[in-house]
Amino acid sequence: MKAQALADHLVENHVDDEYQPLSTYFPDEEINSVEVIPENTNAWKIFFDGAVNAKGVGIGAILISPTGQHYPATALSGHNTTNYESYIIGMNMAIYQDVEELLIMGDSDLIIQQAQGEWETWDVKLLPYRQDEEDLRKRFKSIEFRYIPWFHNELVDALANLASMLPYPGNVHIGPLEIQIRERHGYCNTVEVEPDVQTWYHDIKRFLKTKEYPEKASGYQKRTIRRLASGFFLIREVLYKRTTDLNLLRCVDAQEAGRIMNEVHAGVCGPHMNVYVLAK
């Protein structure tokens, strides 16, 4: 069947007589050789970026230690010189961590070239930033600059855009931003065995059936049960979960969930794919 589908595709999309193949080329064909410069493993790294939109101006910077520890920072800005401000806030973070060797990376070719002394700074708005940047550079034992494409600067770009879209909170304190990496999808939840023998939906089902609460339930717990129960539907003795598209999902306990998973993987509902793909 797979081979037949490929043959049908070729028949329906035949090549015209006027078809011209794409000409391939080597973008760096004039380069004879490339020298790989070993990277300083003891140096800390700084990624910086800024963002401007209709809602506001935001800056972002990330300081990375040689062991891979990330220190992100984002802030609201009142000026459009976002890249310079994010660059300077990153240097201040490094000074606060007593960093001596620093590698600064950003997707702003203007700042990288000006910081290296390749380009002159003529804009009056940027002269104070250049002076501040030169004073901060004296605090480091060694400092290097590297230009990177914007798609290698995605995390800092996300921080800057997040700050630019937030309204100014005034004197309200915003706590640290915690970023987690999910090792599996949010829908991959496992129904564990209930410690008290009762099913996970026992209290919800009893409330829908008899309007009763657990004996030692507090006022907050009672309100929570009422709120959760509004999303369920009881038909005789079977409890269903309402979905946004008005479908009903049958609630199962841990034992029945295990049996269903066995049927899906190896029973009558077993798919045609191999075990590794199915597990993923």
Side-chain angles (χ1 to χ4, degrees):
M1 293 178 63
K2 295 180 180 178
Q4 184 62 44
L6 179 60
D8 293 340
H9 175 77
L10 294 176
V11 171
E12 295 175 0
N13 300 273
H14 62 279
V15 179
D16 298 330
D17 296 337
E18 294 81 8
Y19 172 77
Q20 295 293 333
L22 297 175
S23 60
T24 58
Y25 66 95
F26 295 99
D28 299 324
E29 59 184 2
E30 72 279 359
I31 298 178
N32 184 34
S33 62
V34 177
E35 180 183 0
V36 178
I37 301 176
E39 188 172 304
N40 187 359
T41 57
N42 296 324
W44 289 58
K45 299 178 182 178
I46 283 181
F47 292 83
F48 67 92
D49 198 8
V52 180
N53 55 38
K55 294 186 177 180
V57 180
I59 57 178
I62 295 180
L63 179 65
I64 304 177
S65 68
T67 58
Q69 186 71 28
H70 286 56
Y71 299 90
T74 183
L76 297 173
S77 176
H79 309 281
N80 289 336
T81 54
T82 56
N83 284 320
Y84 258 110
E85 292 192 356
S86 59
Y87 166 42
I88 291 177
I89 196 177
M91 296 182 70
N92 285 320
M93 292 169 58
I95 294 174
Y96 180 77
Q97 294 288 342
D98 296 327
V99 175
E100 295 183 350
E101 300 179 0
L102 189 62
L103 174 60
I104 300 176
M105 293 183 284
D107 57 9
S108 175
D109 194 31
L110 173 65
I111 293 181
I112 297 298
Q113 296 294 341
Q114 289 180 348
Q116 291 178 327
E118 299 292 337
W119 294 355
E120 294 288 341
T121 305
W122 299 102
D123 194 338
V124 178
K125 296 184 301 182
L126 302 182
L127 291 177
Y129 292 101
R130 288 285 293 128
Q131 183 62 46
D132 191 17
E133 181 262 343
E134 291 178 359
D135 295 338
L136 293 176
R137 290 176 61 173
K138 299 176 182 178
R139 308 280 295 274
F140 297 95
K141 183 178 180 180
S142 66
I143 188 169
E144 298 180 17
F145 300 89
R146 184 176 302 171
Y147 171 77
I148 58 175
W150 64 269
F151 51 82
H152 289 165
N153 214 22
E154 292 180 339
L155 183 55
V156 183
D157 181 66
L159 291 175
N161 279 283
L162 176 63
S164 66
M165 292 185 293
L166 289 174
Y168 180 63
N171 296 326
V172 178
H173 174 71
I174 299 178
L177 178 64
E178 181 179 355
I179 301 176
Q180 297 180 350
I181 299 177
R182 296 286 183 177
E183 296 182 353
R184 61 178 184 175
H185 297 289
Y187 54 78
C188 297
N189 296 323
T190 304
V191 180
E192 300 178 352
V193 178
E194 293 79 2
D196 55 358
V197 187
Q198 301 290 353
T199 60
W200 61 270
Y201 53 84
H202 172 75
D203 294 334
I204 298 175
K205 183 178 179 180
R206 182 174 62 175
F207 177 79
L208 292 175
K209 189 175 181 180
T210 63
K211 301 298 181 182
E212 295 180 355
Y213 299 99
E215 295 182 0
K216 298 181 180 181
S218 62
Y220 174 78
Q221 292 172 337
K222 292 180 180 179
R223 289 194 301 269
T224 302
I225 292 177
R226 290 197 301 269
R227 179 176 55 83
L228 293 175
S230 62
F232 289 82
F233 185 71
L234 183 64
I235 303 178
R236 296 184 179 91
E237 293 296 325
V238 182
L239 185 65
Y240 295 89
K241 176 73 170 63
R242 303 176 189 268
T243 62
T244 55
D245 53 359
L246 302 181
N247 287 327
L248 297 178
L249 305 178
R250 186 166 65 89
C251 301
V252 297
D253 55 16
Q255 182 177 2
E256 192 172 5
R259 182 181 63 81
I260 293 174
M261 293 299 293
N262 289 328
E263 290 292 335
V264 170
H265 281 75
V268 295
C269 301
H272 67 277
M273 64 191 72
N274 59 49
V275 179
Y276 177 73
V277 176
L278 178 61
K280 290 185 64 178

